[in-house]
Amino acid sequence: IGAYVARIAQLLAERGETVHVISQLWKGASQPLEHRVDGRLVIHRVPCERPGPTLGLRPHRALGGPEARALFASEYFPQAFAWSAGLLAERLVVDEHIDVIEAPEYEAPLYFFQLRRALGLGPSRHPPCIVHLHSPSEIIARSNDWDLGHPYFLTAKRLEDFSMSAADALMCPSHHLADEISARSDLRGEGVRVIHYPAPADPPDEERRGPNARGPIVHVGRLERRKGSIEWLDAAVAAAMTRPDLRFDFIGRAVLATDWRAG
């Protein structure tokens, strides 16, 4: 999701659009407001969580308001970000005359914005809300053999289902995912529009090196069952049996355990 947002926001700004991105404030991006592309790409960062002393999560010191802190302390802490991001989005709709809003379904960051709109709260202007399907939490948990009955995933499903059903349009980068969502008639899946992720017009030099290239084969991303990581590892082992000179590097968090909290 992050790679997609970074790419599409940059492309839109370079084409002359003014793009506002609401993201998370963290130690690697510590500025709450940043302007790029001659001011047309505006990045807003809101606080949510930070690593705790036991590698868990604790509220960011700048997390404001009793509502956000209570939501962070709930069984589903991503609600804290959704609350803060939703209130910020309401201000941007009024102050910046936003024409369209796009958000992922994952973790439902648009939930409170859509809920308040449905209740007649928030700004009177109603720019269309497009929900971009990447991978609903229910599908992730089921594919990874995680406990779908855990309050975390039950809450995630409820919020994500509402966000998808309340959207003015649904889009996703994959025909496979579109078909899976289309089977869920309560989410109006038949209206999913497939638009592939943007990619550079010309591949980088590294992609032109061909089959005789030397160097490690790198996997970048979380190691999860749903991503085919087990099959990837099996293929790497099989290839190494005949090519002992091959080297495989893995960059990303390992969450192969069926207990999602063990990751």
Side-chain angles (χ1 to χ4, degrees), residues 54-223:
T54 59
L55 299 182
L57 296 174
R58 59 182 178 180
H60 193 284
R61 62 180 178 274
L63 185 63
E67 298 89 352
R69 290 188 171 273
L71 289 169
F72 185 86
S74 71
E75 290 282 2
Y76 190 62
F77 71 86
Q79 293 180 98
F81 176 83
W83 175 261
S84 299
L87 295 181
L88 173 57
E90 289 184 357
R91 294 198 297 271
L92 292 176
V93 166
V94 175
D95 297 341
E96 303 296 336
H97 305 285
I98 302 298
D99 294 316
V100 64
I101 298 172
E102 179 186 340
E105 92 291 15
Y106 178 67
E107 294 189 343
L110 203 57
Y111 172 77
F112 288 107
F113 180 91
Q114 293 170 295
L115 179 62
R116 284 171 54 82
R117 173 183 290 189
L119 295 173
L121 305 174
S124 58
R125 292 187 66 250
H126 288 176
C129 294
I130 300 174
V131 171
H132 198 151
L133 310 176
H134 296 270
S135 285
S137 294
E138 179 187 10
I139 294 176
I140 294 173
R142 186 171 65 244
S143 300
N144 287 337
D145 294 327
W146 292 340
D147 181 10
L148 283 168
H150 191 278
Y152 183 94
F153 291 115
L154 289 176
T155 306
K157 181 182 186 311
R158 180 174 61 82
L159 270 59
E160 291 173 6
D161 282 355
F162 174 83
S163 185
M164 288 185 279
S165 64
D168 296 295
L170 296 172
M171 58 182 281
C172 78
S174 161
H175 286 284
H176 175 81
L177 180 59
D179 291 341
E180 188 164 3
I181 296 298
S182 295
R184 304 167 64 178
S185 58
D186 58 320
L187 300 181
R188 298 183 298 165
E190 66 276 9
V192 178
R193 173 78 180 275
V194 175
I195 301 177
H196 298 297
Y197 287 139
D202 297 316
D205 292 338
E206 291 79 2
E207 297 182 14
R208 301 192 184 102
R209 294 186 299 172
N212 296 321
R214 293 292 181 266
I217 299 173
V218 181
H219 176 283
V220 180
R222 289 190 306 276
L223 295 176

Side-chain angles (χ1 to χ4, degrees), residues 23-33 44-50 60-63 81:
S23 184
Q24 184 174 316
L25 187 70
W26 65 294
K27 66 178 181 179
S30 58
Q31 297 298 319
L33 185 65
H44 308 261
R45 299 186 179 96
V46 298
C48 184
E49 76 270 0
R50 58 180 176 174
H60 193 284
R61 62 180 178 274
L63 185 63
F81 176 83

